[in-house]
Amino acid sequence: MTKTLSIRPDGTKDRAEGPLLEIRRVSKAFGGLMALMGVSLRVWPGQIKGLIGPNGAGKTTLFNLITGMLRPTSGDIRFQGRSIVGLSPFQIAALGIARTFQNVQLFRGMTVLEHVLVGGHRHSRSGLLGAILRTPRMQREEEEAQARAWAILKRVGLAEWADRPAESLPLGLQRILEIARALAVGPQLMLLDEPGAGLNPMEKARLAELIRSLNAEGMTVLLVEHDMSLVMGLADEIAVLDYGQLIAEGPPEAIRQDPRVIAAYLGEEDEVGHAARG
């Protein structure tokens, strides 16, 4: 099991155990369009790493490559030291990678609790026959799944909404529900794709508090976010994509002042530190 980074007295993190996720010179072409070109970056255990860039920079494409929804044209993606290129999304989730989506994706007609139960489906071992025959093992797994789902809902503050239709929740709580569903996978790495999109300041503050607390408990996070104040306040390191290329990487203060980053947002913002374009 991957351990949380230890913190030295000087405040730096011990990276001796190697990166949790490593992107090695990854490129992705769609016909004649290069969405990503030779991107390399690392996410270390215990990090909150931000991934920013203007619309069309390749951020969601990179998430789709990491989670097996797309396959890179070239390069390699390694999780815990092993290549995951060519694995299915289900296999990658089983290794310990979960994600949320830029546009909230909920199942109509399902309750909040049922969404979290769906997220935890990979933990089931009984199979179709066990479900049909209602074997003792199947019943035990169902009880464990219910207990796990309730624990997650309590953890994220959604227990009181458990029996409500998921689509009836305010957008801010729908975003939290997506995180809860991803937590049910039992991930070591959480990919959050614009979790703050469409949220008001109070909802964003609640979201940030949840992300910080999950990280404090050992969750590694790779965060795509257009709200620069949100990502700058959360991430300990930020990577910047522009037109499919990695143009900068470093701590938030260095990224805020990097001329290449400012140029990427030029015409969209007065300065990096406010909401990015898109």
Side-chain angles (χ1 to χ4, degrees):
M1 179 180 294
T2 301
K3 300 177 181 178
T4 304
L5 286 178
S6 59
I7 308 298
R8 299 193 185 101
D10 63 359
T12 60
K13 296 180 179 180
D14 182 7
R15 296 183 172 183
E17 64 185 58
L20 182 62
L21 176 73
E22 185 173 14
I23 313 298
R24 295 183 175 179
R25 299 178 299 280
V26 163
S27 296
K28 178 61 182 177
F30 295 98
L33 174 66
M34 292 297 296
L36 291 171
M37 293 175 281
V39 172
S40 295
L41 60 85
R42 294 173 173 178
V43 179
W44 301 88
Q47 261 196 323
I48 298 179
K49 182 152 188 167
L51 182 62
I52 68 172
N55 273 348
K59 306 180 297 298
T60 296
T61 296
L62 184 58
F63 268 27
N64 289 338
L65 292 170
I66 294 169
T67 54
M69 297 178 71
L70 295 173
R71 186 164 183 166
T73 304
S74 62
D76 194 17
I77 301 172
R78 306 184 73 83
F79 181 67
Q80 293 184 306
R82 64 166 286 188
S83 178
I84 58 174
V85 171
L87 298 183
S88 70
F90 180 83
Q91 290 172 317
I92 291 172
L95 291 176
I97 300 177
R99 72 171 293 180
T100 65
F101 292 87
Q102 182 175 347
N103 298 313
V104 175
Q105 297 190 8
L106 301 177
F107 304 111
R108 292 189 62 82
M110 291 180 61
T111 67
V112 168
L113 177 62
E114 288 168 342
H115 273 78
V116 181
L117 288 169
V118 167
H121 177 70
R122 81 171 186 88
H123 297 290
S124 175
R125 296 291 181 267
S126 293
L128 179 60
L129 183 60
I132 294 172
L133 298 178
R134 301 295 300 160
T135 62
R137 177 179 179 179
M138 181 64 188
Q139 294 178 49
R140 185 171 61 252
E141 285 186 353
E142 285 185 349
E143 291 171 359
E144 292 171 352
Q146 286 276 342
R148 188 163 52 243
W150 274 105
I152 291 171
L153 289 178
K154 291 175 183 176
R155 173 65 188 82
V156 302
L158 290 179
E160 65 183 284
W161 300 82
D163 295 325
R164 296 279 295 275
E167 63 264 29
S168 71
L169 270 59
L171 178 60
L173 294 185
Q174 290 185 13
R175 296 279 187 195
I176 298 295
L177 175 56
E178 276 212 318
I179 293 175
R181 184 173 58 190
L183 285 173
V185 175
Q188 297 179 61
L189 174 64
M190 180 84 75
L191 310 182
L192 302 179
D193 194 352
E194 297 190 37
L199 304 190
N200 62 42
M202 185 177 298
E203 291 170 330
K204 287 181 181 179
R206 177 177 181 175
L207 173 70
E209 181 181 0
L210 175 60
I211 295 172
R212 287 192 191 97
S213 64
L214 291 173
N215 178 249
E217 295 167 6
M219 180 70 67
T220 303
V221 177
L222 180 58
L223 169 69
V224 165
E225 183 53 59
H226 277 306
D227 185 324
M228 292 298 101
S229 61
L230 180 60
V231 72
M232 292 281 177
L234 282 171
D236 49 62
E237 189 174 53
I238 295 174
V240 187
L241 290 176
D242 190 32
Y243 292 106
Q245 294 181 299
L246 186 70
I247 62 169
E249 188 173 18
E253 277 309 310
I255 293 299
R256 189 190 301 273
Q257 301 171 26
D258 191 303
R260 296 165 297 179
V261 179
I262 295 172
Y265 289 96
L266 191 62
E268 305 293 338
E269 298 298 331
D270 294 329
E271 61 179 283
V272 176
H274 300 289
R277 77 187 184 201

